[in-house]
Amino acid sequence: MLVFWKENLVLLAVPKTGTTALSEALAPHASTIISDPPILKHAPIYRYNRFLRPFFEGVGGQEIETVAMIREPVDWLGSWYRYRRRPHLNGNPNSTAGISFDTFVDAYLMGKRPAFAEVGSQAKFVTGADGAVGVDHLFCYEQPDRLIRFLEDRLQITLVLPRSNVSPRMDVTLSPEIEARLRRKRADEFAIWEASRRRL
């Protein structure tokens, strides 16, 4: 999470949406960098609203706007799956080594997920207690130019993004049956991502 105090903006770090590269590029311009612990670095909007927003408003007397980016849900899950196949995770409960992408997504859809499929929810990350999108400026990963233009204009900088924390390349195609289940059971993820493509 990055705080830009003078520009009245907080960048929320949705995991697996390129926020590591964003943080590297934007860190020199940020007033505050929250990189640890992970529960704060990747604080969703509901946690930000509960703990950090009141603090910031109490200190500055202003309501800071929030910005975040989300990713097409199948692609987002594919990134998690590839990330957790890294060799150094072999033998770890989070490892997806030896597990197919279909099995990973099927486990993600369970009520009680095994450790390797416990990756959270983009929809829950960006929605408030009322279920509505709580982020002021929501962008989608597949349209990076929109976010870059927004940040360059807001922060008055030229932004060049490095490639960081990139998951290994591999095929992550879902079977039609599993993809249909994912779209049915996690329709909220797809609806919010579609909305992010249309938001200005």
Side-chain angles (χ1 to χ4, degrees):
M1 180 188 297
L2 300 180
V3 180
F4 305 92
W5 190 256
K6 292 179 181 177
E7 294 81 8
N8 199 45
L9 190 70
V10 169
L11 173 67
L12 300 176
V14 182
K16 308 311 295 173
T17 63
T19 51
T20 299
L22 269 176
S23 294
E24 288 179 13
L26 293 172
H29 310 283
S31 306
T32 304
I33 302 168
I34 301 176
S35 57
D36 231 4
I39 196 170
L40 286 180
K41 176 184 178 180
H42 295 294
I45 190 64
Y46 67 84
R47 189 172 293 133
Y48 171 80
N49 286 339
R50 182 175 179 189
F51 298 108
L52 296 175
R53 185 188 296 274
F55 173 74
F56 291 147
E57 290 179 6
V59 171
Q62 62 191 26
E63 183 173 331
I64 299 182
E65 295 176 26
T66 52
V67 58
M69 182 163 56
I70 60 173
R71 189 170 183 168
E72 192 279 327
V74 176
D75 188 44
W76 181 73
L77 288 169
S79 182
W80 270 116
Y81 171 75
R82 291 182 288 119
Y83 183 73
R84 291 187 166 181
R85 282 183 68 103
R86 293 169 301 158
H88 81 269
L89 285 178
N90 287 351
N92 187 296
N94 288 345
S95 174
T96 54
I99 296 168
S100 71
F101 187 43
D102 271 3
T103 300
F104 172 76
V105 174
D106 189 51
Y108 173 75
L109 295 173
M110 294 178 180
K112 186 175 182 181
R113 299 170 182 160
F116 68 82
E118 188 52 74
V119 297
S121 160
Q122 293 186 105
K124 288 182 180 177
F125 195 105
V126 300
T127 54
D130 60 358
V133 172
V135 176
D136 298 302
H137 306 281
L138 185 63
F139 295 88
C140 76
Y141 178 87
E142 293 74 19
Q143 297 171 335
D145 290 350
R146 290 178 58 223
L147 176 62
I148 290 171
R149 284 197 304 270
F150 171 82
L151 291 170
E152 287 184 332
D153 182 63
R154 187 64 172 264
L155 305 177
Q156 292 296 292
I157 61 171
T158 298
L159 186 57
V160 179
L161 296 182
R163 285 181 58 82
S164 299
N165 204 26
V166 179
S167 300
R169 290 184 177 275
M170 64 185 67
D171 179 52
V172 284
T173 303
L174 282 176
S175 67
E177 178 187 359
I178 296 295
E179 182 168 349
R181 283 190 62 222
L182 173 65
R183 289 180 178 275
R184 185 179 69 252
K185 295 188 74 171
R186 299 314 308 262
D188 57 336
E189 305 285 345
F190 290 91
I192 288 174
W193 174 74
E194 287 288 352
S196 76
R197 299 173 68 192
R198 299 188 295 269
R199 287 170 70 103
L200 298 176

